[in-house]
Amino acid sequence: MNEEQVKKQSLWTRFRNWCKQKSHDIDMWSRKKPRRREIYLNRKLYLMMFPYLLLFFTFTILPVLMSFFFSFTDFNLLQFPPNWRGVQNYLDLFLEDAIFITAVKNTLIIAVIVGPGGYLLSFVFAWLINELPRVLRAIVTFVFYAPALTGAISIWALIFSSDYYGWANSILMSLNIIREPITWLKDADYILPIVILVQLWSSLGVNFLTLIAGLKGVNREFYEAGAIDGIRNRWQELWYITLPCIKEQLLFSAVIQISNTLGVGAITTALCGFPSVQYAGHTIVNHLSDYTSVRYELGYASAIATLLFLAAIGLNSLIRNLIRKVGS
């Protein structure tokens, strides 16, 4: 073995010894606190999670932080750095922007009706269908969920078409209830109720499927044990056995329902155009889209997005606390 090989071997040996020493030092350092020790022992798992965490931070956490920062600025994509405005964007939203107040009112009305209503209807339908025989249950589940797969807003546009060919007008005229077609989607008095109806219909799909999957997974032996312990009717079974067994599905369904109700916007645009007549169907998401995609006032839009994000977080926390009490 020549002198150069000996030198290389010695460098490699020194590097390997250095790695061993560092590994030993980190091991000893991790023993000082339980949390450090847990991370050290599960380091391979954290390493496997790193690609996902990097993507999650880049495309979820970082945009939220950037939106929060830009909400205090006058940012329009053309000038950089943006001008600092402090809380002026938030003050303008509530004190100067009458359309935003209308959007908040419409969103709250939709959320109050569609949120609990869609959630309860999804559970009731899932509970009733779960009681059917196996083959019939599979067929009814598919039939019930199939419309949600298509997202057929165009069907609702045809139903509430403002001419003689609209299904609603045609039926009402054939029954001599009306003499002239009603301009459903061009009349401010009808727009919001129609949007609520369509949103309620579209919110049933995923929630229904989630809840019926949870109901099918409940162990039937729990009901037998409950009968021995004193449960005497179906309502007691529901409260003390069924609901506690599907808490995860209830929570997931609630989060989806919150996202759907606060994120209403595409339905109003598809049915009523943008903006809707007298802003009757204007929601917070529509207002956000206006300042993001049309006006390019991203600082003002970021303030709207931040408020919407905080509202979603607050409702999510409230729902979690309510679901924890299920079965108690």
Side-chain angles (χ1 to χ4, degrees):
M1 185 178 297
N2 56 36
E3 183 178 349
E4 184 178 354
Q5 290 176 332
V6 173
K7 185 176 181 181
K8 287 183 179 179
Q9 184 181 19
S10 122
L11 287 174
W12 171 249
T13 302
R14 282 188 289 172
F15 175 74
R16 188 168 56 184
N17 293 336
W18 179 82
C19 291
K20 290 181 179 180
Q21 182 61 39
K22 286 298 179 182
S23 177
H24 178 266
D25 293 341
I26 295 174
D27 182 31
M28 298 304 297
W29 173 79
S30 68
R31 295 174 184 271
K32 295 180 180 179
K33 292 186 177 180
R35 187 62 179 171
R36 293 181 188 175
R37 190 60 182 171
E38 181 184 354
I39 295 175
Y40 177 77
L41 294 176
N42 298 300
R43 59 189 181 280
K44 293 181 180 179
L45 298 178
Y46 286 108
L47 185 62
M48 294 173 64
M49 292 169 55
F50 178 75
Y52 167 78
L53 294 176
L54 179 62
L55 293 174
F56 181 76
F57 175 81
T58 304
F59 295 105
T60 301
I61 297 179
L62 186 59
V64 170
L65 296 177
M66 292 176 62
S67 177
F68 180 73
F69 169 76
F70 285 125
S71 69
F72 298 99
T73 66
D74 182 14
F75 183 46
N76 59 9
L77 281 182
L78 298 178
Q79 68 180 68
F80 194 85
N83 297 323
W84 183 261
R85 297 197 69 196
V87 297
Q88 190 60 44
N89 285 334
Y90 295 96
L91 294 177
D92 290 345
L93 277 173
F94 290 101
L95 300 179
E96 303 292 337
D97 195 342
I99 299 176
F100 175 74
I101 301 301
T102 301
V104 171
K105 181 189 70 174
N106 292 338
T107 303
L108 286 177
I109 293 173
I110 294 172
V112 168
I113 297 175
V114 175
Y119 191 70
L120 292 176
L121 283 176
S122 297
F123 179 78
V124 169
F125 284 131
W127 189 33
L128 293 176
I129 293 174
N130 189 59
E131 299 298 318
L132 296 175
R134 182 175 180 180
V135 176
L136 183 59
R137 181 175 61 207
I139 296 173
V140 175
T141 300
F142 175 76
V143 171
F144 191 91
Y145 185 68
L149 291 174
T150 62
I153 302 300
S154 58
I155 295 178
W156 289 99
L158 180 60
I159 292 174
F160 294 107
S161 178
S162 300
D163 52 25
Y164 291 93
Y165 301 101
W167 294 355
N169 282 331
S170 178
I171 293 172
L172 292 175
M173 292 177 70
S174 65
L175 296 175
N176 293 322
I177 297 177
I178 60 174
R179 293 181 178 273
E180 295 293 331
I182 299 175
T183 55
W184 299 102
L185 300 176
K186 297 178 182 178
D187 191 328
D189 294 333
Y190 296 110
I191 287 177
L192 190 58
I194 292 174
V195 169
I196 291 173
L197 175 63
V198 177
Q199 180 63 29
L200 190 61
W201 168 81
S202 64
S203 67
L204 295 179
V206 175
N207 292 340
F208 163 78
L209 203 63
T210 301
L211 293 173
I212 201 169
L215 291 171
K216 290 175 64 176
V218 177
N219 192 338
R220 307 304 300 182
E221 294 179 357
F222 292 162
Y223 297 108
E224 298 174 3
I228 297 173
D229 290 338
I231 291 180
R232 293 291 177 257
N233 55 60
R234 298 300 300 276
W235 295 109
Q236 290 180 340
E237 284 185 355
L238 175 65
W239 183 253
Y240 292 108
I241 298 176
T242 305
L243 292 180
C245 287
I246 61 170
K247 276 189 177 182
E248 290 78 9
Q249 288 80 9
L250 290 173
L251 181 59
F252 176 80
S253 180
V255 172
I256 295 298
Q257 191 70 5
I258 291 171
S259 301
N260 288 338
T261 53
L262 293 181
V264 176
I267 288 177
T268 59
T269 302
L271 290 176
C272 315
F274 182 80
S276 55
V277 176
Q278 298 180 16
Y279 296 98
H282 200 68
T283 64
I284 297 178
V285 171
N286 292 134
H287 207 57
L288 176 62
S289 300
D290 184 18
Y291 279 91
T292 303
S293 305
V294 179
R295 307 178 189 231
Y296 293 102
E297 297 182 18
L298 299 188
Y300 198 74
S302 295
I304 300 173
T306 300
L307 292 175
L308 193 61
F309 174 76
L310 294 177
I313 293 296
L315 286 175
N316 191 17
S317 300
L318 176 63
I319 292 298
R320 285 176 179 273
N321 291 331
L322 291 176
I323 291 179
R324 286 195 190 100
K325 297 179 181 180
V326 169
S328 59

